[in-house]
Amino acid sequence: STTPESTLAAIETLEDKLETIILGGQDRGYNFKDLAKKIIKLNIKNIVLFPDSGSKIWDNIKLEAKKQNKKLPQKINTSSMAMAIKFAYQETSAGKICLLSTASPSYSIFKNFEDKGNQFQKNIKKYKA
C-alpha cells in the first residue's frame, strides 16, 4: 500500500494478528495522523521505518502514544530491506504477522513497488528454513 488510507485498510483486516509493520518511503506530504492512531490503539509491537517519510510517521506515532498514554512500539530506521526483514524475524512472534504496507510510494530507496516487493520476498526466503 502506497497511501496511509490503503495501509489503514490492510491493518483493519489483520488487527490483532499484526505485530510488525514496515512503513515509509517517498514523502509526498501525506497525513499520517489516523495511521498513527490505529497503530497505537492496536498496540502494534514493532515498526520498521524507511526514509523519507518514516521520520514523519514516527513523529505522528510518538504524538499519538502520548495522547493515548501508551508505550511506544519498538522501531528500527533503515534503508535496507535485508535489515528490515532481519528485525521482523527477530521481533515478530510465531503465529503473528509482519506486514509490508509502507503508506508511502517506494521511490525513496526502491526503483518501484515491484522492486520493493521482490526485495521483501527475496529476504523472507533467506529465513524460511
Side-chain angles (χ1 to χ4, degrees):
S1 299
T2 59
T3 67
E5 295 78 17
S6 56
T7 296
L8 269 169
I11 289 171
E12 288 170 1
T13 301
L14 302 171
E15 293 226 335
D16 62 333
K17 298 174 199 135
L18 181 59
E19 194 168 88
T20 302
I21 187 166
I22 301 173
L23 298 165
Q26 184 181 43
D27 189 350
R28 289 225 175 130
Y30 294 149
N31 181 330
F32 297 107
K33 185 178 179 181
D34 290 342
L35 177 61
K37 191 178 210 176
K38 182 61 96 172
I39 287 169
I40 295 301
K41 181 181 177 195
L42 292 177
N43 296 310
I44 294 175
K45 182 180 168 190
N46 307 299
I47 310 287
V48 175
L49 298 166
F50 288 133
D52 296 310
S53 64
S55 60
K56 188 175 178 182
I57 294 168
W58 184 247
D59 288 344
N60 280 266
I61 289 170
K62 288 191 298 186
L63 286 171
E64 195 55 44
K66 189 173 184 177
K67 279 184 192 176
Q68 292 186 34
N69 195 29
K70 288 192 174 181
K71 184 179 167 187
L72 282 168
Q74 181 173 233
K75 73 154 173 126
I76 182 176
N77 294 306
T78 186
S79 57
S80 162
M81 186 62 81
M83 289 296 294
I85 300 308
K86 181 177 180 183
F87 173 81
Y89 262 90
Q90 290 172 340
E91 302 302 330
T92 306
S93 304
K96 295 291 183 172
I97 294 171
C98 169
L99 176 65
L100 172 64
S101 187
T102 58
S104 301
S106 306
Y107 305 113
S108 68
I109 55 174
F110 303 102
K111 290 178 195 168
N112 52 38
F113 73 92
E114 291 161 325
D115 176 40
K116 178 175 61 181
N118 289 338
Q119 286 191 39
F120 181 78
Q121 289 178 27
K122 178 182 125 189
N123 283 283
I124 291 287
K125 288 175 184 174
K126 290 180 186 176
Y127 291 92
K128 195 173 182 180

